[in-house]
Amino acid sequence: MPTKTPPAKSISLSISDRLAARIADGDLMAGDRLPSEAELALQFDCSRATVREALKRLAAKNLIRTARGHSGGAFVADLTYAAALDSHVATSMLLLSMNAVDFQTAAEARFALERACVDLAVAQHDRADLRALKDAINRLASRCTDEAFCAADVAFHRALVDAGHNPVLSYQLAGAVEAMQPLMNMITYADRDRETIIRLYRRIAGALQARDAGEVRHVLDELEALMIALFQRGQARRARR
Amino acid sequence: MPTKTPPAKSISLSISDRLAARIADGDLMAGDRLPSEAELALQFDCSRATVREALKRLAAKNLIRTARGHSGGAFVADLTYAAALDSHVATSMLLLSMNAVDFQTAAEARFALERACVDLAVAQHDRADLRALKDAINRLASRCTDEAFCAADVAFHRALVDAGHNPVLSYQLAGAVEAMQPLMNMITYADRDRETIIRLYRRIAGALQARDAGEVRHVLDELEALMIALFQRGQARRARR
DNA sequence: CCCATATCAAATGTCAGACATTTAAAAGTC
DNA sequence: GACTTTTAAATGTCTGACATTTGATATGGG
């Protein structure tokens, strides 16, 4: 009996797939309102509960948003960079933690990605970008917890990435950098380490202002080596106890 | 009345958030089985339907998978690179199409990212990587539709990225490159364009084998310029009609 | 004793109908 | 005309039931 009954995909799954395809194809455009749950139930010949499960899945993927009330309903969401970034970061974080990615691999990837935006950042940055970089450095220089230090660290790198003025690149890079923050948080920084890092960051900001891409890349190399060394030192210390 | 009643988050949403947090925190580990829907309904003091909506949301984010039958249920999924990549690509594609990203911006981002893996690829590649590159080139050289040409194009870049032997980097880069395929598909290639592209790809493969990172980067620059020129030529032709 | 078969139980998937809540528009009132 | 009340349409939730799937268990025969 070659009638296709593969893994018997559930009804709600096939509904969400069909709606997702219509959105991806541009058949349903951002802002469009989907039929009401009751209408969809009629169209797909199933119950409202089943339709709702399908809609929840789409909502989880940021494909639709729902509003209650008289003229509420499900609307095709206009996917923003911010929303996409959130889910990208969440997924990447889970991926890194679940696959036990070692620090060296993560750091290697992170700095490789960061170097990808150097040329653009050097060419495109403006005064606001330099300001953002310096704000982040100032926050780093203030006494703060390791977590706050790492958060400011992320802000610095984020500013560097954004200086390329390419939203697509920012989206990809910022997601990767932020996803690695939990790993970076495993580093405990001594005061003199912080000073070293801040010095490197100032050199990056300076080189960027001077539009010296080679120097920026060079400092990033140093930074990467430093990070890995700090992590390994911390690991050795943990092992000794 | 400062009692917090913000936007009255729905019950099913708060349930999925709580479960997601437990997974992210490592409280629930990959492979763990969640309580049955009936039990969860008791724990959260709500109906099974509400629990199910929450679970569907988690399933959409690849956080859990469900199985039917006697010893079925919801299990914490072990997020694979492949699964994460799929959702990353899907999201990125939507993001690009919905935000009307222009070709130049996308190409700029794509080649910037690609250059990010050159150093690693030059240092780490092995024979299998070169083989994958050459296979892709051979497919490009065979007569094929524009879509197949673009698919082989993606395969080439994917192989280049994977040559870095860094799964984290591959995940990030492959997602970005694949997401841009629809834009690249907008290019129609004349025969002599294809020949030019293939020549560039052969140079890349050769430079990689010779472990000459500067040459790889240089060819990528040429490739980027060519792609943008081809796209603009196509646009001008479309406008003239 | 082992193996095939039938039965069972637990879980997800689905359905039907009801009620609660939210929201904007329409109707009514001053 | 501005304010208040009513109303309708939609999502959010609850309840209870049935269907389906699938491993475990019991049962029977060789």
Side-chain angles (χ1 to χ4, degrees):
Chain A
M1 59 285 293
T3 64
K4 77 167 175 188
T5 327
K9 195 161 69 166
S10 76
I11 299 176
S12 85
L13 193 56
S14 79
I15 292 177
S16 66
D17 282 352
R18 282 217 258 168
L19 291 176
R22 290 184 58 187
I23 294 175
D25 291 352
D27 182 10
L28 290 167
M29 302 283 288
D32 286 358
R33 186 184 147 173
L34 274 63
S36 72
E37 295 173 353
E39 277 182 74
L40 287 172
L42 281 179
Q43 284 182 27
F44 291 108
D45 191 35
C46 65
S47 75
R48 231 191 99 203
T50 304
V51 167
R52 280 182 64 77
E53 290 181 9
L55 292 181
K56 291 311 152 213
R57 242 177 262 167
L58 297 180
K61 291 191 200 166
N62 283 313
L63 290 185
I64 64 170
R65 63 189 161 73
T66 57
R68 301 181 63 173
H70 176 69
S71 55
F75 298 84
V76 178
D78 54 341
L79 191 55
T80 63
Y81 282 99
L85 189 58
D86 276 353
S87 80
H88 183 201
V89 169
T91 303
S92 298
M93 276 189 187
L94 261 176
L95 190 66
L96 295 192
S97 80
M98 282 191 171
N99 291 277
V101 172
D102 62 286
F103 186 85
Q104 176 121 15
T105 302
E108 195 174 86
R110 174 186 162 160
F111 283 96
L113 288 169
E114 211 141 29
R115 274 185 281 266
C117 74
V118 168
D119 283 331
L120 273 175
V122 163
Q124 304 288 336
H125 75 83
D126 57 25
R127 246 168 272 150
D129 296 318
L130 290 174
R131 171 115 220 142
L133 281 176
K134 281 165 185 166
D135 281 351
I137 293 178
N138 287 336
R139 265 193 292 155
L140 285 166
S142 72
R143 296 205 145 278
C144 56
T145 64
D146 277 3
E147 279 72 22
F149 188 80
C150 289
D153 181 67
V154 167
F156 177 88
H157 290 277
R158 181 83 187 256
L160 182 60
V161 164
D162 286 341
H165 288 185
N166 183 314
V168 178
L169 193 60
S170 289
Y171 159 67
Q172 301 287 353
L173 293 183
V177 172
E178 289 187 25
M180 292 176 195
Q181 195 182 8
L183 277 173
M184 299 291 167
N185 271 332
M186 291 175 63
I187 301 179
T188 51
Y189 299 97
D191 281 353
R192 54 181 297 275
D193 298 330
R194 291 193 181 191
E195 284 166 24
T196 308
I197 290 174
I198 292 168
R199 247 197 317 273
L200 289 174
Y201 282 174
R202 287 199 208 282
R203 278 176 60 195
I204 291 177
L208 199 73
Q209 191 160 13
R211 305 201 185 269
D212 180 350
E215 168 72 1
V216 174
R217 257 191 292 270
H218 181 238
V219 180
L220 283 176
D221 289 343
E222 287 185 46
L223 197 55
E224 180 178 354
L226 176 62
M227 287 290 200
I228 292 175
L230 285 180
F231 178 80
Q232 287 174 341
R233 192 192 61 188
Q235 244 187 351
R237 195 171 290 165
R238 269 190 293 278
R240 219 178 302 131
R241 278 185 307 190
Chain B
M1 60 289 291
T3 64
K4 76 168 173 188
T5 327
K9 194 162 67 166
S10 78
I11 299 176
S12 84
L13 192 57
S14 77
I15 292 178
S16 65
D17 282 351
R18 281 216 257 170
L19 291 176
R22 289 183 58 186
I23 294 175
D25 291 353
D27 184 8
L28 290 167
M29 303 282 287
D32 286 358
R33 188 184 146 173
L34 274 64
S36 73
E37 294 173 353
E39 277 182 74
L40 287 172
L42 280 178
Q43 283 181 27
F44 290 109
D45 191 35
C46 66
S47 74
R48 227 190 103 204
T50 304
V51 167
R52 279 182 65 77
E53 289 182 9
L55 292 182
K56 291 310 149 210
R57 244 182 287 225
L58 298 180
K61 290 191 200 168
N62 283 314
L63 290 185
I64 63 171
R65 62 189 161 73
T66 57
R68 298 181 66 173
H70 175 69
S71 53
F75 298 83
V76 178
D78 53 342
L79 190 57
T80 63
Y81 281 100
L85 189 57
D86 275 353
S87 82
H88 184 201
V89 170
T91 303
S92 298
M93 275 189 188
L94 261 177
L95 189 65
L96 294 191
S97 80
M98 282 191 171
N99 292 276
V101 172
D102 62 286
F103 186 86
Q104 175 120 15
T105 302
E108 195 175 86
R110 174 186 163 160
F111 284 96
L113 287 169
E114 212 141 28
R115 275 185 280 267
C117 71
V118 168
D119 283 331
L120 273 174
V122 163
Q124 303 288 335
H125 75 83
D126 56 27
R127 246 168 272 148
D129 297 317
L130 290 175
R131 172 113 219 143
L133 280 175
K134 280 164 187 169
D135 281 352
I137 293 177
N138 287 337
R139 267 194 290 155
L140 286 165
S142 70
R143 296 204 145 277
C144 57
T145 65
D146 277 2
E147 280 72 21
F149 188 80
C150 288
D153 182 66
V154 167
F156 177 88
H157 289 278
R158 182 83 186 255
L160 182 61
V161 164
D162 286 340
H165 288 183
N166 183 312
V168 177
L169 193 60
S170 289
Y171 160 67
Q172 301 287 352
L173 291 183
V177 171
E178 288 186 25
M180 289 175 197
Q181 196 182 7
L183 276 172
M184 299 291 169
N185 271 333
M186 292 176 62
I187 301 179
T188 52
Y189 299 96
D191 281 354
R192 55 179 297 274
D193 299 329
R194 291 194 182 191
E195 284 164 25
T196 308
I197 289 174
I198 291 168
R199 244 196 319 275
L200 290 175
Y201 282 175
R202 288 197 208 281
R203 279 176 59 196
I204 290 177
L208 198 72
Q209 192 160 13
R211 306 203 185 268
D212 182 349
E215 168 72 1
V216 174
R217 258 191 292 270
H218 182 237
V219 180
L220 283 175
D221 289 342
E222 286 185 46
L223 196 56
E224 179 177 353
L226 176 62
M227 287 290 201
I228 291 175
L230 285 180
F231 177 81
Q232 286 174 342
R233 192 192 62 189
Q235 246 188 349
R237 193 171 293 167
R238 270 189 293 279
R240 219 176 304 131
R241 278 185 309 192

